[in-house]
mmCIF file of all heavy atoms in Angstrom:
data_model
loop_
_atom_site.group_PDB
_atom_site.id
_atom_site.type_symbol
_atom_site.label_atom_id
_atom_site.label_comp_id
_atom_site.label_asym_id
_atom_site.label_seq_id
_atom_site.Cartn_x
_atom_site.Cartn_y
_atom_site.Cartn_z
ATOM 1 N N ARG A 68 60.984 47.818 -47.741
ATOM 2 C CA ARG A 68 61.586 47.755 -46.438
ATOM 3 C C ARG A 68 60.826 48.694 -45.453
ATOM 4 O O ARG A 68 60.890 48.532 -44.267
ATOM 5 C CB ARG A 68 63.086 48.082 -46.424
ATOM 6 C CG ARG A 68 63.928 46.878 -46.653
ATOM 7 C CD ARG A 68 65.407 47.211 -46.682
ATOM 8 N NE ARG A 68 65.746 48.063 -47.818
ATOM 9 C CZ ARG A 68 66.096 49.326 -47.717
ATOM 10 N NH1 ARG A 68 66.222 49.905 -46.528
ATOM 11 N NH2 ARG A 68 66.346 50.069 -48.800
ATOM 12 N N LEU A 69 60.200 49.727 -46.013
ATOM 13 C CA LEU A 69 59.442 50.660 -45.220
ATOM 14 C C LEU A 69 58.007 50.140 -45.143
ATOM 15 O O LEU A 69 57.301 50.086 -46.153
ATOM 16 C CB LEU A 69 59.471 52.061 -45.830
ATOM 17 C CG LEU A 69 60.888 52.563 -46.107
ATOM 18 C CD1 LEU A 69 60.814 53.797 -47.006
ATOM 19 C CD2 LEU A 69 61.617 52.824 -44.799
ATOM 20 N N PRO A 70 57.529 49.819 -43.964
ATOM 21 C CA PRO A 70 56.199 49.188 -43.834
ATOM 22 C C PRO A 70 55.089 50.076 -44.454
ATOM 23 O O PRO A 70 54.162 49.508 -45.024
ATOM 24 C CB PRO A 70 56.046 49.022 -42.336
ATOM 25 C CG PRO A 70 57.136 49.751 -41.666
ATOM 26 C CD PRO A 70 58.208 49.900 -42.665
ATOM 27 N N GLU A 71 55.134 51.355 -44.276
ATOM 28 C CA GLU A 71 54.024 52.179 -44.746
ATOM 29 C C GLU A 71 54.014 52.331 -46.280
ATOM 30 O O GLU A 71 53.038 52.750 -46.838
ATOM 31 C CB GLU A 71 54.021 53.557 -44.023
ATOM 32 C CG GLU A 71 55.261 54.452 -44.345
ATOM 33 C CD GLU A 71 56.410 54.065 -43.423
ATOM 34 O OE1 GLU A 71 56.337 53.075 -42.692
ATOM 35 O OE2 GLU A 71 57.444 54.744 -43.476
ATOM 36 N N ARG A 72 55.131 51.938 -46.938
ATOM 37 C CA ARG A 72 55.170 52.014 -48.379
ATOM 38 C C ARG A 72 54.912 50.644 -49.054
ATOM 39 O O ARG A 72 54.685 50.533 -50.208
ATOM 40 C CB ARG A 72 56.531 52.510 -48.846
ATOM 41 C CG ARG A 72 56.644 54.028 -48.719
ATOM 42 C CD ARG A 72 57.155 54.611 -49.983
ATOM 43 N NE ARG A 72 58.279 55.517 -49.710
ATOM 44 C CZ ARG A 72 59.431 55.456 -50.291
ATOM 45 N NH1 ARG A 72 59.729 54.514 -51.183
ATOM 46 N NH2 ARG A 72 60.383 56.317 -49.984
ATOM 47 N N ALA A 73 54.946 49.600 -48.226
ATOM 48 C CA ALA A 73 54.837 48.281 -48.747
ATOM 49 C C ALA A 73 53.408 47.952 -49.149
ATOM 50 O O ALA A 73 52.487 48.397 -48.558
ATOM 51 C CB ALA A 73 55.319 47.234 -47.731
ATOM 52 N N GLY A 74 53.325 47.152 -50.209
ATOM 53 C CA GLY A 74 51.949 46.792 -50.680
ATOM 54 C C GLY A 74 51.937 45.367 -51.178
ATOM 55 O O GLY A 74 52.918 44.555 -51.015
ATOM 56 N N ILE A 75 50.813 45.016 -51.746
ATOM 57 C CA ILE A 75 50.621 43.607 -52.142
ATOM 58 C C ILE A 75 50.435 43.430 -53.650
ATOM 59 O O ILE A 75 49.847 42.444 -54.082
ATOM 60 C CB ILE A 75 49.425 42.965 -51.433
ATOM 61 C CG1 ILE A 75 48.138 43.839 -51.619
ATOM 62 C CG2 ILE A 75 49.716 42.830 -49.936
ATOM 63 C CD1 ILE A 75 46.886 43.134 -51.181
ATOM 64 N N PHE A 76 51.005 44.353 -54.425
ATOM 65 C CA PHE A 76 50.779 44.306 -55.881
ATOM 66 C C PHE A 76 51.277 42.959 -56.474
ATOM 67 O O PHE A 76 50.513 42.171 -57.017
ATOM 68 C CB PHE A 76 51.456 45.502 -56.556
ATOM 69 C CG PHE A 76 50.998 45.693 -57.981
ATOM 70 C CD1 PHE A 76 49.739 45.237 -58.401
ATOM 71 C CD2 PHE A 76 51.761 46.421 -58.858
ATOM 72 C CE1 PHE A 76 49.331 45.455 -59.758
ATOM 73 C CE2 PHE A 76 51.355 46.662 -60.175
ATOM 74 C CZ PHE A 76 50.117 46.174 -60.603
ATOM 75 N N SER A 77 52.596 42.699 -56.220
ATOM 76 C CA SER A 77 53.190 41.447 -56.817
ATOM 77 C C SER A 77 52.473 40.213 -56.176
ATOM 78 O O SER A 77 52.365 39.198 -56.820
ATOM 79 C CB SER A 77 54.664 41.429 -56.582
ATOM 80 O OG SER A 77 54.981 41.700 -55.238
ATOM 81 N N ALA A 78 52.029 40.364 -54.906
ATOM 82 C CA ALA A 78 51.444 39.205 -54.216
ATOM 83 C C ALA A 78 50.071 38.786 -54.813
ATOM 84 O O ALA A 78 49.874 37.636 -55.141
ATOM 85 C CB ALA A 78 51.301 39.520 -52.729
ATOM 86 N N TRP A 79 49.226 39.753 -55.039
ATOM 87 C CA TRP A 79 47.928 39.339 -55.551
ATOM 88 C C TRP A 79 47.971 38.966 -57.030
ATOM 89 O O TRP A 79 47.283 38.009 -57.469
ATOM 90 C CB TRP A 79 46.755 40.299 -55.224
ATOM 91 C CG TRP A 79 46.707 41.616 -55.933
ATOM 92 C CD1 TRP A 79 47.036 42.836 -55.335
ATOM 93 C CD2 TRP A 79 46.193 41.956 -57.236
ATOM 94 N NE1 TRP A 79 46.858 43.855 -56.218
ATOM 95 C CE2 TRP A 79 46.341 43.362 -57.385
ATOM 96 C CE3 TRP A 79 45.754 41.207 -58.284
ATOM 97 C CZ2 TRP A 79 45.963 43.997 -58.595
ATOM 98 C CZ3 TRP A 79 45.399 41.804 -59.451
ATOM 99 C CH2 TRP A 79 45.510 43.212 -59.617
ATOM 100 N N VAL A 80 48.883 39.629 -57.775
ATOM 101 C CA VAL A 80 49.040 39.182 -59.179
ATOM 102 C C VAL A 80 49.617 37.786 -59.225
ATOM 103 O O VAL A 80 49.120 36.924 -59.982
ATOM 104 C CB VAL A 80 49.957 40.174 -59.915
ATOM 105 C CG1 VAL A 80 50.249 39.665 -61.352
ATOM 106 C CG2 VAL A 80 49.295 41.551 -60.091
ATOM 107 N N GLY A 81 50.593 37.526 -58.340
ATOM 108 C CA GLY A 81 51.197 36.172 -58.280
ATOM 109 C C GLY A 81 50.137 35.129 -57.900
ATOM 110 O O GLY A 81 50.072 34.065 -58.523
ATOM 111 N N SER A 82 49.345 35.463 -56.878
ATOM 112 C CA SER A 82 48.273 34.504 -56.492
ATOM 113 C C SER A 82 47.391 34.176 -57.658
ATOM 114 O O SER A 82 47.010 33.017 -57.876
ATOM 115 C CB SER A 82 47.436 35.143 -55.383
ATOM 116 O OG SER A 82 47.999 34.862 -54.087
ATOM 117 N N LEU A 83 47.011 35.242 -58.409
ATOM 118 C CA LEU A 83 46.094 35.027 -59.511
ATOM 119 C C LEU A 83 46.753 34.088 -60.570
ATOM 120 O O LEU A 83 46.090 33.175 -61.083
ATOM 121 C CB LEU A 83 45.790 36.390 -60.168
ATOM 122 C CG LEU A 83 44.401 36.636 -60.614
ATOM 123 C CD1 LEU A 83 43.437 36.624 -59.465
ATOM 124 C CD2 LEU A 83 44.311 38.004 -61.299
ATOM 125 N N CYS A 84 47.982 34.383 -60.929
ATOM 126 C CA CYS A 84 48.717 33.545 -61.925
ATOM 127 C C CYS A 84 48.784 32.089 -61.473
ATOM 128 O O CYS A 84 48.545 31.169 -62.213
ATOM 129 C CB CYS A 84 50.079 34.106 -62.190
ATOM 130 S SG CYS A 84 50.115 35.711 -62.862
ATOM 131 N N VAL A 85 49.187 31.913 -60.193
ATOM 132 C CA VAL A 85 49.377 30.546 -59.696
ATOM 133 C C VAL A 85 48.045 29.805 -59.707
ATOM 134 O O VAL A 85 48.001 28.662 -60.106
ATOM 135 C CB VAL A 85 49.946 30.595 -58.240
ATOM 136 C CG1 VAL A 85 49.899 29.219 -57.616
ATOM 137 C CG2 VAL A 85 51.383 31.102 -58.293
ATOM 138 N N VAL A 86 46.978 30.488 -59.243
ATOM 139 C CA VAL A 86 45.676 29.808 -59.243
ATOM 140 C C VAL A 86 45.197 29.469 -60.632
ATOM 141 O O VAL A 86 44.569 28.425 -60.868
ATOM 142 C CB VAL A 86 44.624 30.651 -58.467
ATOM 143 C CG1 VAL A 86 43.237 30.195 -58.742
ATOM 144 C CG2 VAL A 86 44.917 30.649 -57.015
ATOM 145 N N LEU A 87 45.551 30.328 -61.612
ATOM 146 C CA LEU A 87 45.226 30.037 -63.020
ATOM 147 C C LEU A 87 45.865 28.711 -63.424
ATOM 148 O O LEU A 87 45.215 27.847 -64.017
ATOM 149 C CB LEU A 87 45.689 31.189 -63.897
ATOM 150 C CG LEU A 87 45.023 31.257 -65.246
ATOM 151 C CD1 LEU A 87 43.602 31.678 -65.117
ATOM 152 C CD2 LEU A 87 45.792 32.194 -66.169
ATOM 153 N N VAL A 88 47.160 28.558 -63.167
ATOM 154 C CA VAL A 88 47.868 27.319 -63.530
ATOM 155 C C VAL A 88 47.198 26.129 -62.782
ATOM 156 O O VAL A 88 46.970 25.069 -63.348
ATOM 157 C CB VAL A 88 49.367 27.399 -63.218
ATOM 158 C CG1 VAL A 88 50.045 26.068 -63.505
ATOM 159 C CG2 VAL A 88 50.005 28.501 -64.004
ATOM 160 N N THR A 89 46.952 26.352 -61.512
ATOM 161 C CA THR A 89 46.315 25.328 -60.678
ATOM 162 C C THR A 89 45.004 24.818 -61.273
ATOM 163 O O THR A 89 44.775 23.642 -61.400
ATOM 164 C CB THR A 89 46.029 25.884 -59.270
ATOM 165 O OG1 THR A 89 47.258 26.288 -58.656
ATOM 166 C CG2 THR A 89 45.368 24.791 -58.423
ATOM 167 N N SER A 90 44.201 25.767 -61.731
ATOM 168 C CA SER A 90 42.921 25.326 -62.263
ATOM 169 C C SER A 90 43.117 24.601 -63.605
ATOM 170 O O SER A 90 42.342 23.676 -63.892
ATOM 171 C CB SER A 90 41.896 26.472 -62.405
ATOM 172 O OG SER A 90 42.543 27.667 -62.646
ATOM 173 N N LEU A 91 44.082 25.044 -64.393
ATOM 174 C CA LEU A 91 44.345 24.341 -65.655
ATOM 175 C C LEU A 91 44.752 22.878 -65.389
ATOM 176 O O LEU A 91 44.456 21.990 -66.183
ATOM 177 C CB LEU A 91 45.438 25.023 -66.488
ATOM 178 C CG LEU A 91 44.970 26.322 -67.078
ATOM 179 C CD1 LEU A 91 46.153 26.970 -67.864
ATOM 180 C CD2 LEU A 91 43.802 26.146 -68.009
ATOM 181 N N VAL A 92 45.477 22.632 -64.285
ATOM 182 C CA VAL A 92 45.875 21.281 -63.952
ATOM 183 C C VAL A 92 44.773 20.463 -63.305
ATOM 184 O O VAL A 92 44.416 19.377 -63.719
ATOM 185 C CB VAL A 92 47.126 21.313 -63.019
ATOM 186 C CG1 VAL A 92 47.480 19.883 -62.549
ATOM 187 C CG2 VAL A 92 48.278 21.948 -63.701
ATOM 188 N N ALA A 93 44.176 21.104 -62.241
ATOM 189 C CA ALA A 93 43.285 20.287 -61.371
ATOM 190 C C ALA A 93 41.902 20.106 -61.932
ATOM 191 O O ALA A 93 41.327 19.047 -61.763
ATOM 192 C CB ALA A 93 43.249 20.980 -60.015
ATOM 193 N N ILE A 94 41.322 21.110 -62.650
ATOM 194 C CA ILE A 94 39.976 20.969 -63.053
ATOM 195 C C ILE A 94 39.780 19.856 -64.078
ATOM 196 O O ILE A 94 38.930 18.923 -63.854
ATOM 197 C CB ILE A 94 39.393 22.321 -63.528
ATOM 198 C CG1 ILE A 94 39.366 23.312 -62.392
ATOM 199 C CG2 ILE A 94 37.978 22.141 -64.102
ATOM 200 C CD1 ILE A 94 38.894 24.683 -62.787
ATOM 201 N N PRO A 95 40.504 19.857 -65.219
ATOM 202 C CA PRO A 95 40.238 18.792 -66.134
ATOM 203 C C PRO A 95 40.596 17.395 -65.599
ATOM 204 O O PRO A 95 39.812 16.423 -65.709
ATOM 205 C CB PRO A 95 41.204 19.084 -67.363
ATOM 206 C CG PRO A 95 41.788 20.435 -67.059
ATOM 207 C CD PRO A 95 41.531 20.794 -65.694
ATOM 208 N N LEU A 96 41.738 17.309 -64.882
ATOM 209 C CA LEU A 96 42.191 16.038 -64.315
ATOM 210 C C LEU A 96 41.182 15.524 -63.278
ATOM 211 O O LEU A 96 40.824 14.335 -63.296
ATOM 212 C CB LEU A 96 43.567 16.227 -63.700
ATOM 213 C CG LEU A 96 44.557 15.053 -63.765
ATOM 214 C CD1 LEU A 96 44.713 14.579 -65.197
ATOM 215 C CD2 LEU A 96 45.870 15.499 -63.159
ATOM 216 N N GLY A 97 40.736 16.414 -62.424
ATOM 217 C CA GLY A 97 39.841 16.032 -61.343
ATOM 218 C C GLY A 97 38.492 15.604 -61.867
ATOM 219 O O GLY A 97 37.962 14.569 -61.476
ATOM 220 N N ILE A 98 37.927 16.376 -62.793
ATOM 221 C CA ILE A 98 36.574 16.036 -63.318
ATOM 222 C C ILE A 98 36.677 14.708 -64.105
ATOM 223 O O ILE A 98 35.837 13.800 -63.943
ATOM 224 C CB ILE A 98 36.007 17.191 -64.149
ATOM 225 C CG1 ILE A 98 35.787 18.394 -63.315
ATOM 226 C CG2 ILE A 98 34.720 16.728 -64.839
ATOM 227 C CD1 ILE A 98 35.260 19.585 -64.045
ATOM 228 N N ALA A 99 37.752 14.567 -64.896
ATOM 229 C CA ALA A 99 37.885 13.342 -65.695
ATOM 230 C C ALA A 99 38.001 12.125 -64.798
ATOM 231 O O ALA A 99 37.382 11.064 -65.026
ATOM 232 C CB ALA A 99 39.096 13.434 -66.595
ATOM 233 N N SER A 100 38.809 12.265 -63.697
ATOM 234 C CA SER A 100 38.922 11.106 -62.775
ATOM 235 C C SER A 100 37.595 10.776 -62.117
ATOM 236 O O SER A 100 37.212 9.590 -61.967
ATOM 237 C CB SER A 100 39.912 11.415 -61.674
ATOM 238 O OG SER A 100 41.139 11.871 -62.219
ATOM 239 N N GLY A 101 36.839 11.819 -61.736
ATOM 240 C CA GLY A 101 35.552 11.605 -61.109
ATOM 241 C C GLY A 101 34.594 10.887 -62.047
ATOM 242 O O GLY A 101 33.907 9.960 -61.638
ATOM 243 N N ILE A 102 34.587 11.344 -63.269
ATOM 244 C CA ILE A 102 33.703 10.665 -64.280
ATOM 245 C C ILE A 102 34.079 9.237 -64.413
ATOM 246 O O ILE A 102 33.242 8.296 -64.446
ATOM 247 C CB ILE A 102 33.755 11.399 -65.648
ATOM 248 C CG1 ILE A 102 33.183 12.790 -65.569
ATOM 249 C CG2 ILE A 102 33.003 10.584 -66.720
ATOM 250 C CD1 ILE A 102 33.394 13.582 -66.846
ATOM 251 N N TYR A 103 35.363 8.991 -64.560
ATOM 252 C CA TYR A 103 35.811 7.633 -64.773
ATOM 253 C C TYR A 103 35.375 6.704 -63.618
ATOM 254 O O TYR A 103 34.813 5.633 -63.825
ATOM 255 C CB TYR A 103 37.336 7.528 -64.932
ATOM 256 C CG TYR A 103 37.778 6.092 -65.082
ATOM 257 C CD1 TYR A 103 37.711 5.463 -66.314
ATOM 258 C CD2 TYR A 103 38.278 5.373 -63.993
ATOM 259 C CE1 TYR A 103 38.041 4.132 -66.459
ATOM 260 C CE2 TYR A 103 38.641 4.058 -64.119
ATOM 261 C CZ TYR A 103 38.521 3.404 -65.339
ATOM 262 O OH TYR A 103 38.813 2.131 -65.490
ATOM 263 N N LEU A 104 35.619 7.188 -62.394
ATOM 264 C CA LEU A 104 35.355 6.324 -61.237
ATOM 265 C C LEU A 104 33.828 6.108 -61.054
ATOM 266 O O LEU A 104 33.440 5.023 -60.642
ATOM 267 C CB LEU A 104 35.901 6.986 -59.960
ATOM 268 C CG LEU A 104 37.411 6.906 -59.883
ATOM 269 C CD1 LEU A 104 37.919 7.705 -58.734
ATOM 270 C CD2 LEU A 104 37.877 5.505 -59.762
ATOM 271 N N GLU A 105 33.020 7.068 -61.468
ATOM 272 C CA GLU A 105 31.586 6.854 -61.248
ATOM 273 C C GLU A 105 30.955 6.123 -62.401
ATOM 274 O O GLU A 105 30.051 5.304 -62.230
ATOM 275 C CB GLU A 105 30.889 8.236 -61.070
ATOM 276 C CG GLU A 105 30.914 8.750 -59.667
ATOM 277 C CD GLU A 105 30.425 7.768 -58.609
ATOM 278 O OE1 GLU A 105 29.284 7.226 -58.773
ATOM 279 O OE2 GLU A 105 31.168 7.506 -57.676
ATOM 280 N N GLU A 106 31.368 6.426 -63.647
ATOM 281 C CA GLU A 106 30.595 5.961 -64.836
ATOM 282 C C GLU A 106 31.276 4.762 -65.489
ATOM 283 O O GLU A 106 30.602 3.959 -66.137
ATOM 284 C CB GLU A 106 30.471 7.056 -65.833
ATOM 285 C CG GLU A 106 29.630 8.218 -65.328
ATOM 286 C CD GLU A 106 28.143 7.892 -65.149
ATOM 287 O OE1 GLU A 106 27.602 7.193 -66.022
ATOM 288 O OE2 GLU A 106 27.603 8.312 -64.126
ATOM 289 N N TYR A 107 32.626 4.658 -65.454
ATOM 290 C CA TYR A 107 33.271 3.599 -66.226
ATOM 291 C C TYR A 107 33.813 2.474 -65.341
ATOM 292 O O TYR A 107 33.740 1.347 -65.739
ATOM 293 C CB TYR A 107 34.440 4.230 -67.027
ATOM 294 C CG TYR A 107 34.041 5.031 -68.229
ATOM 295 C CD1 TYR A 107 33.762 6.371 -68.097
ATOM 296 C CD2 TYR A 107 33.891 4.438 -69.473
ATOM 297 C CE1 TYR A 107 33.354 7.123 -69.225
ATOM 298 C CE2 TYR A 107 33.526 5.168 -70.571
ATOM 299 C CZ TYR A 107 33.224 6.501 -70.424
ATOM 300 O OH TYR A 107 32.858 7.259 -71.507
ATOM 301 N N ALA A 108 34.338 2.875 -64.200
ATOM 302 C CA ALA A 108 35.141 1.902 -63.448
ATOM 303 C C ALA A 108 34.272 0.674 -63.036
ATOM 304 O O ALA A 108 33.154 0.865 -62.559
ATOM 305 C CB ALA A 108 35.673 2.548 -62.167
ATOM 306 N N LYS A 109 34.854 -0.493 -63.301
ATOM 307 C CA LYS A 109 34.167 -1.726 -62.788
ATOM 308 C C LYS A 109 34.636 -1.910 -61.375
ATOM 309 O O LYS A 109 35.609 -1.402 -60.902
ATOM 310 C CB LYS A 109 34.625 -2.910 -63.661
ATOM 311 C CG LYS A 109 34.204 -2.750 -65.081
ATOM 312 C CD LYS A 109 34.525 -4.041 -65.888
ATOM 313 C CE LYS A 109 34.172 -3.871 -67.290
ATOM 314 N NZ LYS A 109 35.062 -2.842 -67.989
ATOM 315 N N LYS A 110 33.819 -2.714 -60.652
ATOM 316 C CA LYS A 110 34.155 -3.013 -59.270
ATOM 317 C C LYS A 110 35.268 -4.061 -59.214
ATOM 318 O O LYS A 110 34.984 -5.260 -59.150
ATOM 319 C CB LYS A 110 32.981 -3.492 -58.493
ATOM 320 C CG LYS A 110 32.107 -2.381 -57.992
ATOM 321 C CD LYS A 110 31.360 -2.777 -56.727
ATOM 322 C CE LYS A 110 30.893 -1.473 -56.045
ATOM 323 N NZ LYS A 110 30.237 -1.664 -54.820
ATOM 324 N N ASN A 111 36.516 -3.632 -59.301
ATOM 325 C CA ASN A 111 37.605 -4.599 -59.171
ATOM 326 C C ASN A 111 38.716 -4.037 -58.344
ATOM 327 O O ASN A 111 38.622 -2.942 -57.848
ATOM 328 C CB ASN A 111 38.084 -5.023 -60.572
ATOM 329 C CG ASN A 111 38.565 -3.848 -61.370
ATOM 330 O OD1 ASN A 111 38.912 -2.808 -60.839
ATOM 331 N ND2 ASN A 111 38.596 -3.981 -62.700
ATOM 332 N N ILE A 112 39.771 -4.793 -58.282
ATOM 333 C CA ILE A 112 40.834 -4.443 -57.366
ATOM 334 C C ILE A 112 41.495 -3.099 -57.739
ATOM 335 O O ILE A 112 41.861 -2.289 -56.946
ATOM 336 C CB ILE A 112 41.892 -5.581 -57.294
ATOM 337 C CG1 ILE A 112 43.035 -5.214 -56.387
ATOM 338 C CG2 ILE A 112 42.388 -6.034 -58.651
ATOM 339 C CD1 ILE A 112 42.862 -5.792 -55.005
ATOM 340 N N TRP A 113 41.599 -2.828 -59.080
ATOM 341 C CA TRP A 113 42.238 -1.580 -59.512
ATOM 342 C C TRP A 113 41.452 -0.392 -59.101
ATOM 343 O O TRP A 113 41.963 0.625 -58.722
ATOM 344 C CB TRP A 113 42.464 -1.650 -61.006
ATOM 345 C CG TRP A 113 43.369 -2.704 -61.426
ATOM 346 C CD1 TRP A 113 43.076 -3.820 -62.129
ATOM 347 C CD2 TRP A 113 44.761 -2.842 -61.044
ATOM 348 N NE1 TRP A 113 44.144 -4.640 -62.240
ATOM 349 C CE2 TRP A 113 45.220 -4.061 -61.628
ATOM 350 C CE3 TRP A 113 45.642 -2.077 -60.336
ATOM 351 C CZ2 TRP A 113 46.490 -4.496 -61.454
ATOM 352 C CZ3 TRP A 113 46.943 -2.507 -60.198
ATOM 353 C CH2 TRP A 113 47.358 -3.705 -60.711
ATOM 354 N N THR A 114 40.132 -0.511 -59.259
ATOM 355 C CA THR A 114 39.298 0.624 -58.830
ATOM 356 C C THR A 114 39.459 0.868 -57.352
ATOM 357 O O THR A 114 39.535 1.970 -56.865
ATOM 358 C CB THR A 114 37.785 0.320 -59.135
ATOM 359 O OG1 THR A 114 37.732 -0.078 -60.532
ATOM 360 C CG2 THR A 114 36.913 1.480 -58.918
ATOM 361 N N LYS A 115 39.486 -0.239 -56.616
ATOM 362 C CA LYS A 115 39.665 -0.118 -55.177
ATOM 363 C C LYS A 115 41.002 0.593 -54.842
ATOM 364 O O LYS A 115 41.028 1.421 -53.964
ATOM 365 C CB LYS A 115 39.681 -1.581 -54.570
ATOM 366 C CG LYS A 115 39.421 -1.694 -53.121
ATOM 367 C CD LYS A 115 37.940 -1.715 -52.767
ATOM 368 C CE LYS A 115 37.769 -1.409 -51.301
ATOM 369 N NZ LYS A 115 36.569 -0.683 -51.002
ATOM 370 N N VAL A 116 42.009 0.246 -55.569
ATOM 371 C CA VAL A 116 43.338 0.853 -55.342
ATOM 372 C C VAL A 116 43.254 2.345 -55.588
ATOM 373 O O VAL A 116 43.720 3.147 -54.763
ATOM 374 C CB VAL A 116 44.411 0.215 -56.246
ATOM 375 C CG1 VAL A 116 45.677 1.071 -56.322
ATOM 376 C CG2 VAL A 116 44.737 -1.146 -55.748
ATOM 377 N N ILE A 117 42.588 2.741 -56.692
ATOM 378 C CA ILE A 117 42.519 4.141 -57.031
ATOM 379 C C ILE A 117 41.712 4.913 -55.969
ATOM 380 O O ILE A 117 42.091 5.951 -55.521
ATOM 381 C CB ILE A 117 41.915 4.365 -58.407
ATOM 382 C CG1 ILE A 117 42.806 3.756 -59.478
ATOM 383 C CG2 ILE A 117 41.651 5.833 -58.660
ATOM 384 C CD1 ILE A 117 42.221 3.872 -60.880
ATOM 385 N N GLU A 118 40.621 4.280 -55.505
ATOM 386 C CA GLU A 118 39.780 4.931 -54.484
ATOM 387 C C GLU A 118 40.523 5.109 -53.176
ATOM 388 O O GLU A 118 40.527 6.218 -52.607
ATOM 389 C CB GLU A 118 38.493 4.126 -54.274
ATOM 390 C CG GLU A 118 37.515 4.309 -55.405
ATOM 391 C CD GLU A 118 36.273 3.484 -55.191
ATOM 392 O OE1 GLU A 118 36.269 2.515 -54.431
ATOM 393 O OE2 GLU A 118 35.239 3.864 -55.801
ATOM 394 N N LEU A 119 41.188 4.095 -52.712
ATOM 395 C CA LEU A 119 41.950 4.147 -51.497
ATOM 396 C C LEU A 119 43.017 5.229 -51.602
ATOM 397 O O LEU A 119 43.253 5.979 -50.664
ATOM 398 C CB LEU A 119 42.609 2.800 -51.225
ATOM 399 C CG LEU A 119 42.062 2.008 -50.027
ATOM 400 C CD1 LEU A 119 42.632 0.592 -50.071
ATOM 401 C CD2 LEU A 119 42.389 2.696 -48.750
ATOM 402 N N ASN A 120 43.601 5.238 -52.792
ATOM 403 C CA ASN A 120 44.694 6.170 -53.012
ATOM 404 C C ASN A 120 44.227 7.621 -52.935
ATOM 405 O O ASN A 120 44.900 8.478 -52.360
ATOM 406 C CB ASN A 120 45.257 5.836 -54.412
ATOM 407 C CG ASN A 120 46.265 6.854 -54.808
ATOM 408 O OD1 ASN A 120 47.274 6.966 -54.187
ATOM 409 N ND2 ASN A 120 45.928 7.599 -55.861
ATOM 410 N N ILE A 121 43.042 7.869 -53.464
ATOM 411 C CA ILE A 121 42.533 9.266 -53.410
ATOM 412 C C ILE A 121 42.215 9.645 -51.991
ATOM 413 O O ILE A 121 42.485 10.752 -51.540
ATOM 414 C CB ILE A 121 41.294 9.394 -54.330
ATOM 415 C CG1 ILE A 121 41.741 9.341 -55.793
ATOM 416 C CG2 ILE A 121 40.571 10.710 -54.040
ATOM 417 C CD1 ILE A 121 40.599 9.131 -56.744
#
Side-chain angles (χ1 to χ4, degrees):
Chain A
R68 269 179 297 112
L69 307 167
E71 62 278 5
R72 280 230 229 126
I75 54 168
F76 196 21
S77 50
W79 70 257
V80 173
S82 272
L83 219 64
C84 297
V85 168
V86 166
L87 199 71
V88 176
T89 301
S90 30
L91 288 179
V92 174
I94 295 175
L96 213 54
I98 295 178
S100 308
I102 294 174
Y103 177 81
L104 288 172
E105 276 308 306
E106 297 290 319
Y107 286 89
K109 297 186 184 67
K110 275 209 164 184
N111 58 20
I112 178 97
W113 296 113
T114 309
K115 198 86 196 147
V116 165
I117 294 178
E118 283 179 339
L119 250 169
N120 173 63
I121 289 166

